[in-house]
């Protein structure tokens, strides 16, 4: 498996606008765009920084993974996403090494990228997303 970079760091927020006030207006990160990922019931806000991004995550429905996270743990770092060169190969290698995946098949995430989440129980409590660089 080849990890290319940290693609983004997902931060769960109750209110995207409040998050933007801090990360963009105060810290000066560029507000690149927003996208609702209906399947994940989340509104994402992208704030590039260098070669990576901060991704704010706001729940759009009460039963979304982000809503559950906020309820249980409060606002904070929700996941770290790595870019990989070949997502199918990465999934296979992880499975062969006994790592539990939430997505054993890639799904489509924000930015139309192919993604897969690993279960935090297998990754030292850190929700890890693998994302395939758009070819
Ligand atoms: N980071 C670390 N641990 C997490 C976590 C997170 N983001 N979310 C949940 N957990 C932990 C819980 O605290 C719990 O730990 P304990 O058993 O020690 O209490 C454990 O994982 C299981 O949690 P749960 O409440 O029983 O299970 P959930 O139904 O909340 O599911 C998870 C957890 C990770 C499987 C689910 O959130 C998931 O499938 N996530 C992947 C999809 C996702 O997060 N989408 C939102 C972002 C989308 C995007 O970026 O586009």
């Amino acid at each position: 498996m080849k990890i290319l970079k940290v693609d983004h760091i997902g931060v769960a927020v109750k209110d995207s606008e409040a998050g933007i006030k801090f990360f963009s207006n105060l810290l000066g990160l560029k507000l690149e765009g927003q996208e609702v990922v209906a399947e994940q019931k989340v509104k994402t806000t992208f704030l590039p920084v260098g070669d990576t991004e901060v991704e704010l995550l706001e729940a759009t429905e009460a039963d979304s993974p982000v809503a559950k996270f906020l309820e249980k743990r409060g606002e904070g770092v929700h996941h770290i996403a790595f870019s990989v060169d070949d997502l199918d190969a990465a999934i296979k290698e992880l499975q062969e090494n006994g790592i539990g995946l939430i997505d054993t098949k890639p799904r489509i995430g924000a930015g139309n990228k192919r993604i897969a989440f690993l279960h935090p129980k297998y990754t030292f409590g850190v929700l890890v997303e693998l994302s395939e660089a758009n070819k």
Side-chain angles (χ1 to χ4, degrees):
M1 170 178 357
K2 189 167 177 201
I3 302 283
L4 304 173
K5 63 170 188 168
V6 173
D7 186 74
H8 63 266
I9 295 167
V11 178
V13 294
K14 289 183 200 154
D15 172 11
S16 302
E17 293 312 310
I20 289 166
K21 270 191 190 153
F22 173 70
F23 285 101
S24 186
N25 299 5
L26 188 59
L27 295 194
L29 303 190
K30 184 179 161 221
L31 173 56
E32 193 178 69
Q34 292 190 308
E35 180 182 340
V36 171
V37 182
E39 194 214 356
Q40 297 287 319
K41 300 174 183 171
V42 71
K43 178 162 99 177
T44 57
T45 300
F46 306 104
L47 302 143
V49 48
D51 197 22
T52 187
E53 291 184 335
V54 170
E55 180 189 65
L56 304 182
L57 302 161
E58 180 187 335
T60 54
E61 290 177 46
D63 63 344
S64 84
V66 170
K68 273 186 94 172
F69 179 89
L70 287 168
E71 203 177 291
K72 213 165 175 179
R73 299 177 162 221
E75 293 176 301
V77 173
H78 178 265
H79 67 266
I80 178 164
F82 295 112
S83 283
V84 291
D85 62 341
D86 183 339
L87 183 58
D88 300 297
I91 288 174
K92 188 166 177 279
E93 187 178 338
L94 289 163
Q95 284 182 313
E96 284 168 1
N97 283 277
I99 303 297
L101 285 106
I102 294 165
D103 304 301
T104 51
K105 286 189 183 139
R107 59 169 131 162
I108 302 300
N112 213 28
K113 288 181 182 167
R114 297 171 79 229
I115 62 164
F117 282 94
L118 318 187
H119 200 286
K121 286 214 164 132
Y122 295 81
T123 54
F124 303 90
V126 178
L127 178 60
V128 173
E129 175 185 340
L130 299 181
S131 151
E132 193 172 74
N134 285 324
K135 287 172 185 164

